[in-house]
Amino acid sequence: MARVVREVRDLMKEAPEGTKLVVDSESGLPTSLGEINAEIEGPIGTPYASHFFQLKLVLPGDFPNSPPRGFFLTKIYHPNVDMSTGAICVNTLKKDWSPSVRLGHVLSVIRCLMIVPFPESSLNDEAGKLFMESYEEYASRAKLMTNVHGRTSSCVAESPPSSPAKSTKENEVGFDHKLSRNNMKSASSSSSNAVLKQSNSADRNCDGNKVKSPRMKNHTSKTGGEKKSKKKSLRRL
């Protein structure tokens, strides 16, 4: 899950060319980390140009050990896309899958598939056959369906440019400030404890065996000597 969070964060910062991450309009975050919704802009020079298509990547429970499954949510006429389910057939999500493959790369591969289909492994046999026999007729049908189902504008709102470096710096400063404040609290607590110990020690000295100062000792001995001298004088009398 931590990897998915990191990859989603990276896609939000900078998605591959011609792709965008679709997020919730209120929270600004994906609605689910188990299904990654994205938007692909039709590549120039293809029947899908000037239109936008939505798709989703469904992540399995053991991702990234197993590949995600890709589905077009927008109807599209393409040899490698099932017309009824929108399922996408591409080797990257099958035999060529590796745990090191990132979601951004998957989106790039799907967009490239819109440029160069692979009719040999088609899910739409009609489209695959037309692509092999008459590209013009195939392109005409694909463009017709694109005009019907594709969006002419992006559904993803443009977000103002952010400054990751600034945000990172602010986070570091905030962390340093908290750490400094905690250190100050710790130092203050240690100092208070030391003062309290000294105070308690002084209290014990005052309450227990009181220590007489040398001046008090001299004063006591001097007073005792004067008393003895007075007693001697009275005896003589």
Side-chain angles (χ1 to χ4, degrees):
M1 188 62 69
R3 167 173 166 170
V4 178
V5 172
R6 288 195 302 270
E7 292 202 40
V8 167
R9 181 188 59 197
D10 293 342
L11 287 173
M12 291 178 68
K13 289 181 180 178
E14 186 177 1
E17 181 183 359
T19 68
K20 291 181 181 179
L21 191 68
V22 178
V23 297
D24 181 70
S25 58
E26 294 183 359
S27 66
L29 299 171
T31 54
S32 170
L33 291 178
E35 288 189 5
I36 307 302
N37 292 324
E39 180 184 76
I40 291 183
E41 183 178 2
I44 297 174
T46 69
Y48 318 108
S50 305
H51 288 78
F52 296 84
F53 302 80
Q54 289 196 36
L55 61 86
K56 68 178 180 180
L57 299 177
V58 180
L59 278 56
D62 59 346
F63 178 85
N65 294 324
S66 296
R69 292 177 297 145
F71 297 88
F72 267 98
L73 301 178
T74 305
K75 279 191 174 295
I76 182 173
Y77 191 79
H78 189 285
N80 304 109
V81 180
D82 190 296
M83 280 285 290
S84 58
T85 64
I88 303 170
C89 179
V90 61
N91 286 337
T92 301
L93 300 181
K94 292 188 175 181
K95 64 179 182 179
D96 292 342
W97 174 257
S98 167
S100 62
V101 176
R102 298 176 64 83
L103 296 177
H105 178 70
V106 173
L107 294 178
S108 294
V109 168
I110 294 175
R111 190 168 187 265
C112 288
L113 191 67
M114 297 173 74
I115 302 173
V116 184
F118 289 93
E120 295 84 0
S121 57
S122 64
L123 293 180
N124 184 336
D125 292 334
E126 178 187 301
K129 186 177 180 180
L130 272 181
F131 181 83
M132 295 290 290
E133 295 178 352
S134 173
Y135 179 81
E136 289 76 12
E137 189 173 351
Y138 156 76
S140 177
R141 292 195 185 185
K143 189 170 184 180
L144 176 63
M145 187 168 288
T146 295
N147 291 334
V148 173
H149 299 286
R151 294 176 59 100
T152 57
S153 61
S154 173
C155 69
V156 181
E158 291 291 341
S159 57
S162 59
S163 176
K166 183 178 179 181
S167 299
T168 303
K169 187 175 181 180
E170 287 176 352
N171 291 336
E172 292 174 352
V173 170
F175 177 79
D176 290 342
H177 176 68
K178 289 181 180 179
L179 183 61
S180 175
R181 186 169 57 186
N182 289 339
N183 286 340
M184 288 178 65
K185 285 183 179 180
S186 178
S188 176
S189 177
S190 300
S191 177
S192 298
N193 289 336
V195 171
L196 185 59
K197 286 181 180 179
Q198 290 178 357
S199 176
N200 291 338
S201 177
D203 290 342
R204 285 197 298 270
N205 288 337
C206 289
D207 295 337
N209 298 325
K210 293 184 178 181
V211 180
K212 295 181 180 180
S213 65
R215 182 178 297 178
M216 290 179 66
K217 287 183 179 181
N218 291 338
H219 178 72
T220 302
S221 60
K222 182 177 180 181
T223 304
E226 289 177 352
K227 287 182 179 181
K228 288 181 181 180
S229 177
K230 286 183 180 180
K231 286 182 179 180
K232 288 181 180 180
S233 299
L234 287 174
R235 286 178 183 177
R236 289 176 182 176
L237 292 173

